Amino acid sequence: MSSVLSGIDVLESNVELQKEFSGNIGVLCHSASVNKDLQHTLQSMIKMFGSQVKKVYGPQHGFVTDVQDNMIETDHTFHPFFKLPVYSLYSETRIPTDEMLEGIDHLFVDLQDVGTRIYTYIYTLTLLLEKCAGKDIEVVVLDRPNPINAKDIEGNILDTNFASFVGRHPLPVRHGLTIGEVAQMHQKYWASSSANLRIIKMKNYERHMSFEQTGLPWVMPSPNLPTVDGCYTFVGTVLFEGTNISEGRGTTRSLEIVGHPKIRPWELESELKDLFNKNDLTGFKLRPLNFMPTFQKHAGTACGGYQIHVQDRESFKPWRVCQLLCQKFYQVLGADFKYKEDPYEYEFDKNPVDLINGTDKVREWMESGSDLDKLNEIEKLGMSEYLDKRTSILLY
């Protein structure tokens, strides 16, 4: 099988295609925006288009992807090497201003998404599309693989009453789309007016592929997703961001490790094994461990918990595994279990767990001690409609 060519690789290899972009160019990108030879997309764009490249834009975590956490904003700057202005779309605004877009004819978007609804790059893209709908700007998405494959779908559909910057659209937690397909779905079903959208598709990509099967190099899309395995576990472990359970930030395997100072991992191990066996959840092992985060939750405090080792990606159901795990922690910790109390992604009124879950029904399920059948019922709400819409926009 030939290696996959991402959108930037396809553009670089097609001189005739390059000729179709004759105006001024802006580029929305980050550290994971690289071609198959690990050259940064901005370098590639400057090689192809020279002085046509006028502006650069960065998403959450910044153009250079050095900012750790949500609600830590990135400043606008002038890049000393590329000699170009860099506008932050995670700053005082998440929507590009008229000034930021002034003079741009083609705005290329090259962002590595991770396949989970609770990840902001797809919303930076859809906000950009909405802003450009009334302007003479072509938005060009350089498509990239969904690293956890683009066929498997898991988790409940977002209830738009719980919309936020970690969930703007009625997507399931694991959405089974590439970032180009998210743009397609946005334009067909969610946008009030159409933008001038073009998608440069990948070559040799198949929906079943995990990232390693593409042959492309893995670069961290954000500071706390150093591994592809972490993208798989993130589907579930992101839930713990809304609680006082550590999701492993401050360790070298963030979002693969979860724990709390009061958890005794070996004492719980057999109980958890029975729980997962009873619910036919396979494809992973929970390894009991103790860890001490160097920053964020419980920094400098010994925690007990588990590393989630993914053994069979096909059968692993991270959303279900982590919802059951969170429910067990809620029961075991009692009063020591807390929901995050400070604002989450600029939402000040709703429970952060509900924003992450995209509903309050999942939290209510957890608190009630209900079984997995009830969670499965919540997952089904709106799913058939989503699947029909998804089928209508697939590119691969």
Side-chain angles (χ1 to χ4, degrees), residues 120-185:
T120 63
Y121 297 160
I122 57 176
Y123 308 122
T124 296
L125 170 59
T126 62
L127 287 169
L128 175 70
L129 286 165
E130 289 164 19
K131 181 68 176 183
C132 290
K135 297 181 180 294
D136 189 19
I137 297 174
E138 181 183 36
V139 179
V140 186
V141 177
L142 298 168
D143 210 5
R144 286 191 172 271
N146 182 326
I148 58 176
N149 82 47
K151 71 177 181 65
D152 291 330
I153 292 162
E154 189 188 7
N156 63 293
I157 305 285
L158 173 85
D159 173 351
T160 51
N161 291 314
F162 293 87
S164 72
F165 197 51
V166 288
R168 293 192 70 223
H169 309 299
L171 291 162
V173 178
R174 184 175 181 179
H175 52 64
L177 300 168
T178 69
I179 193 167
E181 289 170 339
V182 171
Q184 286 267 96
M185 188 172 272

Side-chain angles (χ1 to χ4, degrees), residues 188-253:
K188 187 165 184 178
Y189 295 108
W190 306 324
S192 56
S193 55
S194 296
N196 181 9
L197 171 67
R198 183 195 297 214
I199 298 163
I200 297 182
K201 291 172 57 176
M202 294 176 277
K203 285 191 176 174
N204 307 319
Y205 180 68
E206 296 178 20
R207 307 200 71 82
H208 66 83
M209 289 177 167
S210 290
F211 193 86
E212 294 92 339
Q213 293 174 301
T214 68
L216 293 170
W218 176 252
V219 176
M220 293 190 297
S222 56
N224 286 292
L225 280 176
T227 69
V228 177
D229 268 353
C231 295
Y232 280 87
T233 56
F234 177 76
V235 176
T237 55
V238 65
L239 164 68
F240 296 105
E241 290 188 10
T243 73
N244 67 340
I245 305 292
S246 169
E247 66 277 7
R249 291 173 189 267
T251 76
T252 56
R253 301 295 290 224

Side-chain angles (χ1 to χ4, degrees), residues 243-245 260 262-263 268 325-339 366-367:
T243 73
N244 67 340
I245 305 292
H260 183 279
K262 295 288 182 71
I263 289 171
L268 266 183
L325 189 58
C326 191
Q327 186 183 62
K328 179 57 70 175
F329 289 165
Y330 175 81
Q331 293 164 351
V332 167
L333 289 171
D336 288 315
F337 180 98
K338 308 281 188 197
Y339 294 112
M366 183 189 77
E367 292 173 349

Side-chain angles (χ1 to χ4, degrees), residues 305-375:
Y306 302 92
Q307 181 171 352
I308 304 170
H309 292 263
V310 183
Q311 296 183 310
D312 177 8
R313 291 172 173 176
E314 288 292 311
S315 61
F316 177 47
K317 302 293 184 193
W319 180 73
R320 284 169 171 75
V321 167
C322 287
Q323 291 290 354
L324 282 174
L325 189 58
C326 191
Q327 186 183 62
K328 179 57 70 175
F329 289 165
Y330 175 81
Q331 293 164 351
V332 167
L333 289 171
D336 288 315
F337 180 98
K338 308 281 188 197
Y339 294 112
K340 180 179 171 69
E341 293 177 348
D342 47 333
Y344 189 76
E345 286 301 346
Y346 303 93
E347 297 293 331
F348 295 88
D349 299 324
K350 293 186 173 71
N351 187 324
V353 158
D354 294 345
L355 295 172
I356 291 168
N357 283 325
T359 179
D360 54 5
K361 294 185 190 318
V362 173
R363 174 178 51 80
E364 290 166 358
W365 163 85
M366 183 189 77
E367 292 173 349
S368 70
S370 297
D371 61 17
L372 197 61
D373 288 343
K374 180 62 178 174
L375 187 67

